[in-house]
Amino acid sequence: MLDTASLNKNMKTYINQVILQSLGNSVRETVQAIIKEEFKNLIFNSSVPTSGTGSNQTRDPDWTPIFIACPGNKHHKRRSIIDRWNWDAADLIEQVRVDLYKDSQVDAMFLFDGKGSTSVSWFSKERLLQSSYQDLSRTATINYFSMEGSNAADRHFYINSHHGGCPNDFGWLQIIDSRLRFGTTGGCTFDHLYGREYPYFMYGTRNKACHYDKEGECGFADMMVISVKRI
């Protein structure tokens, strides 16, 4: 019998799904209650704004930021809920949101259905609920929509519409994580932009997909924030 008293509020002991299923109903309910309480207390100690405009922006209490990444910084801020997502938090997450910030304001947004998802599967075309793009939906023509993206080119969180030679490549979002693994002579110019530190976050700034190779069509976010809304 699992000693539920050993489960502290930080949930340092991960609860394997198989173990949970083998427990009696009363113990399982106790475990889930502890998880929900800990999840509720995951209020990120950060000044990152998620609603409002300009200096009036405040953090939305319904959303908890769990991942913050900035260009040129390999050390991202992340919450432990990401590690536990697949085991004891999947049933507690209702929605997931990706916000791209420019000049301290949200410039692009993607909203996903998080119910029953894993820490990776939520980022998909099938789970997309809404975005700030007028041409992006579940019925849009898309050849990449995943966190993994294109490993050969180190393009991740990749939402892309078409590949037709570098000048004709266009899409909505890509994070270029590092210089091309096979050198700087392959790939496209936007895979190794001079003067930009990795990773950099490239996205369409006009509420529609952009051609990555055409100057002025795409922008570069100052920060990416992933937040979750609990059930």
Side-chain angles (χ1 to χ4, degrees):
M1 174 77 64
L2 180 67
D3 179 11
T4 57
S6 66
L7 299 175
N8 59 32
K9 285 189 177 182
N10 292 324
M11 287 300 295
K12 293 180 180 178
T13 302
Y14 293 172
I15 306 301
N16 186 286
Q17 189 69 27
V18 175
I19 296 176
L20 272 179
Q21 291 175 352
S22 69
L23 298 174
N25 288 336
S26 61
V27 177
R28 188 184 302 116
E29 290 172 2
T30 301
V31 171
Q32 291 296 338
I34 294 172
I35 293 170
K36 287 184 179 181
E37 180 63 22
E38 196 271 346
F39 190 90
K40 184 174 67 175
N41 292 329
L42 278 175
I43 302 301
F44 202 88
N45 185 21
S46 171
S47 60
V48 175
T50 57
S51 65
T53 57
S55 60
N56 294 323
Q57 289 181 326
T58 58
R59 190 169 57 241
D60 188 333
D62 291 334
W63 290 89
T64 301
I66 61 170
F67 183 83
I68 299 177
C70 297
N73 188 353
K74 296 288 186 180
H75 304 289
H76 311 311
K77 287 186 176 182
R78 66 197 305 278
R79 280 291 186 177
S80 62
I81 190 68
I82 297 174
D83 302 316
R84 304 200 315 273
W85 197 316
N86 301 343
W87 306 113
D88 56 35
D91 293 336
L92 304 179
I93 295 173
E94 181 178 3
Q95 294 179 343
V96 189
R97 190 174 73 198
V98 177
D99 291 316
L100 298 176
Y101 283 81
K102 188 68 177 178
D103 298 327
S104 300
Q105 297 191 44
V106 176
D107 200 37
M109 179 277 293
F110 306 87
L111 183 66
F112 299 89
D113 177 9
K115 294 189 290 291
S117 66
T118 69
S119 59
V120 174
S121 69
W122 63 267
F123 191 83
S124 67
K125 175 181 177 179
E126 292 72 24
R127 287 182 171 272
L128 182 68
L129 297 176
Q130 183 183 348
S131 79
S132 55
Y133 293 94
Q134 60 190 25
D135 57 351
L136 179 59
S137 68
R138 293 181 182 179
T139 59
T141 300
I142 296 173
N143 61 0
Y144 277 94
F145 199 133
S146 70
M147 283 189 194
E148 183 179 14
S150 173
N151 280 321
D154 264 351
R155 301 173 190 168
H156 304 296
F157 281 89
Y158 197 20
I159 308 178
N160 191 71
S161 179
H162 179 71
H163 286 161
C166 296
N168 299 311
D169 289 358
F170 66 94
W172 297 268
L173 172 66
Q174 59 178 341
I175 296 180
I176 310 295
D177 270 331
S178 65
R179 195 169 296 278
L180 290 173
R181 294 174 183 173
F182 42 81
T184 59
T185 56
C188 301
T189 55
F190 55 80
D191 288 310
H192 41 86
L193 292 173
Y194 179 77
R196 289 203 174 272
E197 293 185 283
Y198 298 101
Y200 51 86
F201 313 140
M202 203 170 189
Y203 69 104
T205 58
R206 301 175 182 176
N207 297 324
K208 61 181 181 179
C210 65
H211 289 83
Y212 310 118
D213 234 10
K214 293 184 179 180
E215 187 175 356
E217 280 202 21
C218 297
F220 299 90
D222 297 329
M223 179 171 63
M224 180 178 77
V225 178
I226 299 175
S227 305
V228 295
K229 184 178 183 180
R230 66 186 183 88
I231 294 174

